[in-house]
């Protein structure tokens, strides 16, 4: 059984509400949601529980580093427990008060033990 779109929307909402004070939002790309999330190459299937756990650990341990990322920075989230990798990018904009706002875009997701990331930044969760 795959992950439903409303489950991903709920995950995004939870993360965005949690980090609104830090001017940080999370978005799963179309490729993440429609191309790779429920891809049969992910053996076993990726679950919404795993994604919640990965993003909870990421934001608990690395929130200070996330808010310092610059426009167009890229990074990989690597979960050593599940072999899930989530390459991400940062879009930096100014909010209505002129303060920096960072959108973390999860580009794709895959369960792959030997994934080789070219990103200079990697967050191990």
């Amino acid at each position: 059984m795959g992950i439903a779109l409303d489950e991903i929307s709920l995950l995004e909402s939870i993360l965005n509400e949690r980090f609104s004070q830090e001017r940080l939002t999370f978005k799963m790309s179309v490729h993440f949601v429609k191309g790779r999330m429920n891809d049969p190459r992910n053996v076993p299937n990726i679950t919404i529980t795993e994604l919640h756990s990965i993003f909870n650990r990421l934001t608990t341990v690395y929130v200070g580093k996330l808010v310092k990322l610059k426009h167009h920075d890229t990074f990989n989230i690597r979960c050593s427990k599940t072999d899930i990798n989530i390459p991400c990018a940062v879009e930096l904009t100014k909010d209505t008060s002129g303060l920096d706002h960072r959108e973390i875009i999860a580009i794709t997701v895959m369960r792959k033990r030997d994934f080789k990331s070219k990103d200079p930044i990697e967050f191990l969760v």
Side-chain angles (χ1 to χ4, degrees), residues 59-113:
T59 55
T60 299
V61 176
Y62 296 108
V63 71
K65 291 184 178 185
L66 292 172
V67 298
K68 292 179 181 174
L69 292 171
K70 295 175 178 47
H71 186 57
H72 290 155
D73 275 351
T74 59
F75 62 92
N76 185 53
I77 304 166
R78 183 183 305 270
C79 178
S80 56
K81 289 175 22 177
T82 63
D83 294 326
I84 293 175
N85 292 275
I86 306 172
C88 299
V90 178
E91 290 292 324
L92 185 63
T93 59
K94 299 283 184 189
D95 65 16
T96 54
S97 60
L99 297 172
D100 286 345
H101 176 89
R102 284 166 182 78
E103 182 174 61
I104 307 295
I105 302 165
I107 299 166
T108 191
V109 61
M110 70 203 83
R111 187 183 305 273
K112 188 171 182 182
R113 179 180 305 254

Side-chain angles (χ1 to χ4, degrees), residues 21-59:
Q21 296 289 34
E22 286 85 5
R23 295 178 308 283
L24 185 67
T25 56
F26 289 83
K27 177 183 172 187
M28 309 314 166
S29 75
V30 172
H31 179 69
F32 180 105
V33 175
K34 294 190 177 189
R36 286 302 309 245
M37 183 173 67
N38 293 317
D39 191 293
R41 291 175 286 180
N42 296 319
V43 178
N45 290 336
I46 295 171
T47 67
I48 194 66
T49 303
E50 288 174 315
L51 293 179
H52 273 281
S53 178
I54 288 167
F55 281 104
N56 281 337
R57 284 180 282 158
L58 172 74
T59 55

Side-chain angles (χ1 to χ4, degrees), residues 2-17:
I3 300 170
L5 294 178
D6 61 332
E7 292 175 301
I8 287 297
S9 294
L10 179 60
L11 174 60
E12 286 177 339
S13 296
I14 290 167
L15 290 167
N16 294 340
E17 184 176 322

